[in-house]
Amino acid sequence: MASLTYYSSAFLSRSDFSVCGRVTLLKRSFRQRCFSIRAEVEYVNADEAKELVAEGYAIVDIRDKTQFERAHIKSCYHAPFFIENQDNDPGTIIKRQMHNNFAGLFYGLPYTKPNPDFVQSLKTQFSPESKILLVCQEGLRSTAAARKLEESGFQNVACITSGLQSVKPGTFESVGTTELQNAGKAGLVTIQGKISVVLGTVLVCLLLFITVFPDQAEQLLQLLPTS
């Protein structure tokens, strides 16, 4: 067999060797891609999530501290994907003030930043083979977190597509002062009736006017009577 290989290769030109080399490289590249395929994140609804928990999936709540304290699934593990940003550099202070005037005012959300210890905190609690169900309020954070865990080697990750806001009361045993689906509601949006609509509209218009036309707003404020 060795002599046959020798004589057959003797009839190959330099260009033929080049082609063979490319084929070999393509085969190696294909094999490398095959071995690099990872398990995909599983996206489920609330009822399917309950079935996964029954199968042994551990629930990891990645919401911030305020939403978690309002309501969370009993016996879950809390690992916030975002944490409150208390940095005091000028840029952060300005952004935090703008946030507090809108999202913070109407939805009671703190100004946050990515948690640099998120992945490491899970690695200390779970093995790469552990079955993990990520939950957040709307489903966006858990999707991003699932990708991050997948990139870090976790093989069995699932998350609820629309978050806890889609979970009906009684689906999971919960702890807190409100239902899981309402844990994202705070601030002015909790005020019921037409008052909240009118007040919210007025405040948004006022804040936009001050932000876009600061000079004119200052002139108007000077016209107000002072005591």
mmCIF file of all heavy atoms in Angstrom, residues 137-172:
data_model
loop_
_atom_site.group_PDB
_atom_site.id
_atom_site.type_symbol
_atom_site.label_atom_id
_atom_site.label_comp_id
_atom_site.label_asym_id
_atom_site.label_seq_id
_atom_site.Cartn_x
_atom_site.Cartn_y
_atom_site.Cartn_z
ATOM 1 N N GLN A 137 -37.871 39.847 33.967
ATOM 2 C CA GLN A 137 -39.240 40.345 33.946
ATOM 3 C C GLN A 137 -39.870 40.316 32.558
ATOM 4 O O GLN A 137 -41.020 39.947 32.390
ATOM 5 C CB GLN A 137 -39.300 41.762 34.512
ATOM 6 C CG GLN A 137 -40.689 42.218 34.919
ATOM 7 C CD GLN A 137 -41.267 41.378 36.049
ATOM 8 O OE1 GLN A 137 -40.545 40.877 36.898
ATOM 9 N NE2 GLN A 137 -42.585 41.210 36.072
ATOM 10 N N GLU A 138 -39.077 40.699 31.526
ATOM 11 C CA GLU A 138 -39.632 40.788 30.169
ATOM 12 C C GLU A 138 -39.062 39.765 29.206
ATOM 13 O O GLU A 138 -39.574 39.613 28.100
ATOM 14 C CB GLU A 138 -39.395 42.191 29.590
ATOM 15 C CG GLU A 138 -39.947 43.329 30.407
ATOM 16 C CD GLU A 138 -38.982 43.765 31.506
ATOM 17 O OE1 GLU A 138 -37.808 43.299 31.488
ATOM 18 O OE2 GLU A 138 -39.390 44.540 32.386
ATOM 19 N N GLY A 139 -37.982 39.088 29.564
ATOM 20 C CA GLY A 139 -37.372 38.101 28.687
ATOM 21 C C GLY A 139 -36.138 38.571 27.947
ATOM 22 O O GLY A 139 -35.406 37.759 27.378
ATOM 23 N N LEU A 140 -35.869 39.878 27.951
ATOM 24 C CA LEU A 140 -34.731 40.415 27.213
ATOM 25 C C LEU A 140 -33.408 40.136 27.925
ATOM 26 O O LEU A 140 -32.432 39.697 27.315
ATOM 27 C CB LEU A 140 -34.909 41.922 27.003
ATOM 28 C CG LEU A 140 -36.135 42.337 26.188
ATOM 29 C CD1 LEU A 140 -36.242 43.859 26.124
ATOM 30 C CD2 LEU A 140 -36.065 41.754 24.782
ATOM 31 N N ARG A 141 -33.368 40.397 29.218
ATOM 32 C CA ARG A 141 -32.133 40.185 29.970
ATOM 33 C C ARG A 141 -31.753 38.702 30.024
ATOM 34 O O ARG A 141 -30.573 38.355 29.931
ATOM 35 C CB ARG A 141 -32.271 40.746 31.390
ATOM 36 C CG ARG A 141 -32.201 42.266 31.480
ATOM 37 C CD ARG A 141 -32.619 42.785 32.839
ATOM 38 N NE ARG A 141 -34.060 42.628 33.059
ATOM 39 C CZ ARG A 141 -34.692 43.053 34.150
ATOM 40 N NH1 ARG A 141 -34.019 43.648 35.123
ATOM 41 N NH2 ARG A 141 -35.999 42.896 34.273
ATOM 42 N N SER A 142 -32.761 37.850 30.184
ATOM 43 C CA SER A 142 -32.458 36.423 30.263
ATOM 44 C C SER A 142 -31.918 35.895 28.934
ATOM 45 O O SER A 142 -31.080 34.994 28.911
ATOM 46 C CB SER A 142 -33.707 35.636 30.684
ATOM 47 O OG SER A 142 -34.771 35.840 29.774
ATOM 48 N N THR A 143 -32.382 36.455 27.818
ATOM 49 C CA THR A 143 -31.867 36.060 26.515
ATOM 50 C C THR A 143 -30.389 36.413 26.391
ATOM 51 O O THR A 143 -29.573 35.596 25.947
ATOM 52 C CB THR A 143 -32.656 36.740 25.381
ATOM 53 O OG1 THR A 143 -34.030 36.336 25.449
ATOM 54 C CG2 THR A 143 -32.086 36.372 24.025
ATOM 55 N N ALA A 144 -30.035 37.629 26.792
ATOM 56 C CA ALA A 144 -28.633 38.060 26.743
ATOM 57 C C ALA A 144 -27.782 37.248 27.711
ATOM 58 O O ALA A 144 -26.654 36.861 27.392
ATOM 59 C CB ALA A 144 -28.541 39.550 27.065
ATOM 60 N N ALA A 145 -28.317 36.992 28.889
ATOM 61 C CA ALA A 145 -27.580 36.220 29.891
ATOM 62 C C ALA A 145 -27.362 34.780 29.432
ATOM 63 O O ALA A 145 -26.300 34.198 29.677
ATOM 64 C CB ALA A 145 -28.332 36.246 31.220
ATOM 65 N N ALA A 146 -28.371 34.208 28.762
ATOM 66 C CA ALA A 146 -28.260 32.828 28.278
ATOM 67 C C ALA A 146 -27.122 32.705 27.264
ATOM 68 O O ALA A 146 -26.352 31.732 27.286
ATOM 69 C CB ALA A 146 -29.583 32.393 27.656
ATOM 70 N N ARG A 147 -27.008 33.681 26.382
ATOM 71 C CA ARG A 147 -25.928 33.660 25.395
ATOM 72 C C ARG A 147 -24.565 33.746 26.083
ATOM 73 O O ARG A 147 -23.611 33.075 25.686
ATOM 74 C CB ARG A 147 -26.095 34.813 24.415
ATOM 75 C CG ARG A 147 -27.312 34.676 23.507
ATOM 76 C CD ARG A 147 -27.494 35.918 22.649
ATOM 77 N NE ARG A 147 -28.669 35.818 21.794
ATOM 78 C CZ ARG A 147 -29.146 36.826 21.077
ATOM 79 N NH1 ARG A 147 -28.520 37.995 21.106
ATOM 80 N NH2 ARG A 147 -30.219 36.666 20.333
ATOM 81 N N LYS A 148 -24.493 34.558 27.105
ATOM 82 C CA LYS A 148 -23.232 34.728 27.834
ATOM 83 C C LYS A 148 -22.833 33.427 28.538
ATOM 84 O O LYS A 148 -21.662 33.044 28.544
ATOM 85 C CB LYS A 148 -23.372 35.863 28.855
ATOM 86 C CG LYS A 148 -22.064 36.544 29.203
ATOM 87 C CD LYS A 148 -22.324 37.819 29.970
ATOM 88 C CE LYS A 148 -21.030 38.623 30.142
ATOM 89 N NZ LYS A 148 -20.508 39.120 28.853
ATOM 90 N N LEU A 149 -23.808 32.756 29.137
ATOM 91 C CA LEU A 149 -23.523 31.488 29.802
ATOM 92 C C LEU A 149 -23.142 30.412 28.793
ATOM 93 O O LEU A 149 -22.252 29.594 29.047
ATOM 94 C CB LEU A 149 -24.737 31.036 30.614
ATOM 95 C CG LEU A 149 -25.093 31.875 31.838
ATOM 96 C CD1 LEU A 149 -26.284 31.275 32.568
ATOM 97 C CD2 LEU A 149 -23.898 31.992 32.783
ATOM 98 N N GLU A 150 -23.811 30.422 27.650
ATOM 99 C CA GLU A 150 -23.491 29.456 26.599
ATOM 100 C C GLU A 150 -22.050 29.631 26.134
ATOM 101 O O GLU A 150 -21.314 28.661 25.954
ATOM 102 C CB GLU A 150 -24.454 29.617 25.431
ATOM 103 C CG GLU A 150 -24.259 28.605 24.322
ATOM 104 C CD GLU A 150 -25.081 28.919 23.087
ATOM 105 O OE1 GLU A 150 -25.520 30.075 22.958
ATOM 106 O OE2 GLU A 150 -25.257 28.026 22.258
ATOM 107 N N GLU A 151 -21.638 30.888 25.950
ATOM 108 C CA GLU A 151 -20.266 31.180 25.539
ATOM 109 C C GLU A 151 -19.260 30.769 26.605
ATOM 110 O O GLU A 151 -18.095 30.505 26.292
ATOM 111 C CB GLU A 151 -20.123 32.675 25.239
ATOM 112 C CG GLU A 151 -20.905 33.149 24.026
ATOM 113 C CD GLU A 151 -20.915 34.655 23.893
ATOM 114 O OE1 GLU A 151 -20.383 35.332 24.805
ATOM 115 O OE2 GLU A 151 -21.459 35.159 22.893
ATOM 116 N N SER A 152 -19.705 30.709 27.855
ATOM 117 C CA SER A 152 -18.821 30.360 28.965
ATOM 118 C C SER A 152 -18.795 28.863 29.237
ATOM 119 O O SER A 152 -18.152 28.427 30.192
ATOM 120 C CB SER A 152 -19.253 31.103 30.233
ATOM 121 O OG SER A 152 -19.210 32.507 30.035
ATOM 122 N N GLY A 153 -19.516 28.080 28.429
ATOM 123 C CA GLY A 153 -19.434 26.639 28.543
ATOM 124 C C GLY A 153 -20.619 25.940 29.168
ATOM 125 O O GLY A 153 -20.634 24.695 29.248
ATOM 126 N N PHE A 154 -21.633 26.662 29.595
ATOM 127 C CA PHE A 154 -22.828 26.024 30.147
ATOM 128 C C PHE A 154 -23.621 25.368 29.012
ATOM 129 O O PHE A 154 -23.854 25.970 27.972
ATOM 130 C CB PHE A 154 -23.691 27.044 30.886
ATOM 131 C CG PHE A 154 -23.128 27.448 32.225
ATOM 132 C CD1 PHE A 154 -22.219 28.485 32.322
ATOM 133 C CD2 PHE A 154 -23.501 26.774 33.380
ATOM 134 C CE1 PHE A 154 -21.677 28.853 33.554
ATOM 135 C CE2 PHE A 154 -22.975 27.133 34.614
ATOM 136 C CZ PHE A 154 -22.059 28.163 34.708
ATOM 137 N N GLN A 155 -24.050 24.135 29.244
ATOM 138 C CA GLN A 155 -24.593 23.324 28.163
ATOM 139 C C GLN A 155 -26.108 23.157 28.184
ATOM 140 O O GLN A 155 -26.705 22.776 27.176
ATOM 141 C CB GLN A 155 -23.940 21.929 28.211
ATOM 142 C CG GLN A 155 -22.429 21.975 28.103
ATOM 143 C CD GLN A 155 -21.782 20.636 28.412
ATOM 144 O OE1 GLN A 155 -22.465 19.616 28.502
ATOM 145 N NE2 GLN A 155 -20.471 20.635 28.593
ATOM 146 N N ASN A 156 -26.747 23.413 29.317
ATOM 147 C CA ASN A 156 -28.193 23.184 29.436
ATOM 148 C C ASN A 156 -28.870 24.426 30.006
ATOM 149 O O ASN A 156 -29.190 24.496 31.190
ATOM 150 C CB ASN A 156 -28.471 21.972 30.336
ATOM 151 C CG ASN A 156 -27.824 20.704 29.810
ATOM 152 O OD1 ASN A 156 -28.193 20.200 28.762
ATOM 153 N ND2 ASN A 156 -26.852 20.196 30.544
ATOM 154 N N VAL A 157 -29.066 25.419 29.146
ATOM 155 C CA VAL A 157 -29.637 26.697 29.578
ATOM 156 C C VAL A 157 -30.973 26.929 28.885
ATOM 157 O O VAL A 157 -31.104 26.721 27.675
ATOM 158 C CB VAL A 157 -28.684 27.873 29.264
ATOM 159 C CG1 VAL A 157 -29.282 29.187 29.744
ATOM 160 C CG2 VAL A 157 -27.322 27.641 29.908
ATOM 161 N N ALA A 158 -31.959 27.352 29.649
ATOM 162 C CA ALA A 158 -33.280 27.688 29.109
ATOM 163 C C ALA A 158 -33.738 29.006 29.708
ATOM 164 O O ALA A 158 -33.246 29.430 30.764
ATOM 165 C CB ALA A 158 -34.287 26.585 29.429
ATOM 166 N N CYS A 159 -34.658 29.686 29.029
ATOM 167 C CA CYS A 159 -35.223 30.915 29.586
ATOM 168 C C CYS A 159 -36.651 31.100 29.078
ATOM 169 O O CYS A 159 -37.016 30.591 28.012
ATOM 170 C CB CYS A 159 -34.368 32.139 29.245
ATOM 171 S SG CYS A 159 -34.036 32.381 27.497
ATOM 172 N N ILE A 160 -37.455 31.821 29.884
ATOM 173 C CA ILE A 160 -38.846 32.068 29.526
ATOM 174 C C ILE A 160 -38.900 33.196 28.497
ATOM 175 O O ILE A 160 -38.385 34.289 28.745
ATOM 176 C CB ILE A 160 -39.673 32.421 30.777
ATOM 177 C CG1 ILE A 160 -39.585 31.286 31.792
ATOM 178 C CG2 ILE A 160 -41.125 32.683 30.409
ATOM 179 C CD1 ILE A 160 -40.339 31.556 33.090
ATOM 180 N N THR A 161 -39.524 32.948 27.377
ATOM 181 C CA THR A 161 -39.504 33.876 26.242
ATOM 182 C C THR A 161 -39.959 35.280 26.613
ATOM 183 O O THR A 161 -39.280 36.262 26.316
ATOM 184 C CB THR A 161 -40.388 33.338 25.100
ATOM 185 O OG1 THR A 161 -39.978 32.013 24.771
ATOM 186 C CG2 THR A 161 -40.264 34.219 23.879
ATOM 187 N N SER A 162 -41.099 35.406 27.267
ATOM 188 C CA SER A 162 -41.639 36.728 27.595
ATOM 189 C C SER A 162 -41.437 37.104 29.057
ATOM 190 O O SER A 162 -42.023 38.069 29.539
ATOM 191 C CB SER A 162 -43.131 36.774 27.253
ATOM 192 O OG SER A 162 -43.321 36.550 25.868
ATOM 193 N N GLY A 163 -40.624 36.365 29.764
ATOM 194 C CA GLY A 163 -40.298 36.709 31.135
ATOM 195 C C GLY A 163 -41.413 36.447 32.132
ATOM 196 O O GLY A 163 -42.468 35.886 31.800
ATOM 197 N N LEU A 164 -41.191 36.891 33.364
ATOM 198 C CA LEU A 164 -42.155 36.651 34.435
ATOM 199 C C LEU A 164 -43.450 37.439 34.257
ATOM 200 O O LEU A 164 -44.456 37.118 34.887
ATOM 201 C CB LEU A 164 -41.510 37.008 35.786
ATOM 202 C CG LEU A 164 -40.342 36.111 36.222
ATOM 203 C CD1 LEU A 164 -39.761 36.602 37.539
ATOM 204 C CD2 LEU A 164 -40.786 34.660 36.337
ATOM 205 N N GLN A 165 -43.437 38.455 33.408
ATOM 206 C CA GLN A 165 -44.665 39.212 33.177
ATOM 207 C C GLN A 165 -45.736 38.357 32.495
ATOM 208 O O GLN A 165 -46.918 38.696 32.520
ATOM 209 C CB GLN A 165 -44.379 40.437 32.325
ATOM 210 C CG GLN A 165 -43.920 40.118 30.903
ATOM 211 C CD GLN A 165 -43.676 41.354 30.074
ATOM 212 O OE1 GLN A 165 -43.806 42.470 30.557
ATOM 213 N NE2 GLN A 165 -43.330 41.168 28.807
ATOM 214 N N SER A 166 -45.319 37.228 31.907
ATOM 215 C CA SER A 166 -46.262 36.334 31.242
ATOM 216 C C SER A 166 -46.701 35.175 32.132
ATOM 217 O O SER A 166 -47.491 34.334 31.713
ATOM 218 C CB SER A 166 -45.628 35.773 29.963
ATOM 219 O OG SER A 166 -44.507 34.958 30.263
ATOM 220 N N VAL A 167 -46.183 35.131 33.358
ATOM 221 C CA VAL A 167 -46.505 34.022 34.266
ATOM 222 C C VAL A 167 -47.813 34.312 34.998
ATOM 223 O O VAL A 167 -47.950 35.331 35.673
ATOM 224 C CB VAL A 167 -45.368 33.811 35.284
ATOM 225 C CG1 VAL A 167 -45.760 32.737 36.303
ATOM 226 C CG2 VAL A 167 -44.084 33.421 34.567
ATOM 227 N N LYS A 168 -48.769 33.416 34.878
ATOM 228 C CA LYS A 168 -50.055 33.582 35.542
ATOM 229 C C LYS A 168 -49.928 33.280 37.034
ATOM 230 O O LYS A 168 -49.118 32.428 37.427
ATOM 231 C CB LYS A 168 -51.099 32.664 34.906
ATOM 232 C CG LYS A 168 -51.380 32.961 33.442
ATOM 233 C CD LYS A 168 -52.390 31.971 32.874
ATOM 234 C CE LYS A 168 -52.652 32.240 31.406
ATOM 235 N NZ LYS A 168 -53.609 31.255 30.821
ATOM 236 N N PRO A 169 -50.694 33.974 37.864
ATOM 237 C CA PRO A 169 -50.665 33.707 39.305
ATOM 238 C C PRO A 169 -50.924 32.233 39.598
ATOM 239 O O PRO A 169 -51.829 31.627 39.028
ATOM 240 C CB PRO A 169 -51.786 34.598 39.846
ATOM 241 C CG PRO A 169 -51.898 35.710 38.846
ATOM 242 C CD PRO A 169 -51.619 35.080 37.519
ATOM 243 N N GLY A 170 -50.118 31.663 40.476
ATOM 244 C CA GLY A 170 -50.292 30.267 40.842
ATOM 245 C C GLY A 170 -49.433 29.295 40.059
ATOM 246 O O GLY A 170 -49.344 28.122 40.422
ATOM 247 N N THR A 171 -48.804 29.763 38.972
ATOM 248 C CA THR A 171 -47.953 28.869 38.182
ATOM 249 C C THR A 171 -46.755 28.400 39.006
ATOM 250 O O THR A 171 -46.395 27.234 39.009
ATOM 251 C CB THR A 171 -47.464 29.573 36.902
ATOM 252 O OG1 THR A 171 -48.585 30.034 36.147
ATOM 253 C CG2 THR A 171 -46.640 28.620 36.042
ATOM 254 N N PHE A 172 -46.132 29.361 39.695
ATOM 255 C CA PHE A 172 -45.021 29.052 40.601
ATOM 256 C C PHE A 172 -45.356 29.582 41.985
ATOM 257 O O PHE A 172 -46.054 30.592 42.131
ATOM 258 C CB PHE A 172 -43.720 29.699 40.122
ATOM 259 C CG PHE A 172 -43.203 29.175 38.820
ATOM 260 C CD1 PHE A 172 -43.410 29.874 37.640
ATOM 261 C CD2 PHE A 172 -42.494 27.981 38.764
ATOM 262 C CE1 PHE A 172 -42.932 29.403 36.431
ATOM 263 C CE2 PHE A 172 -42.013 27.500 37.559
ATOM 264 C CZ PHE A 172 -42.233 28.211 36.388
#
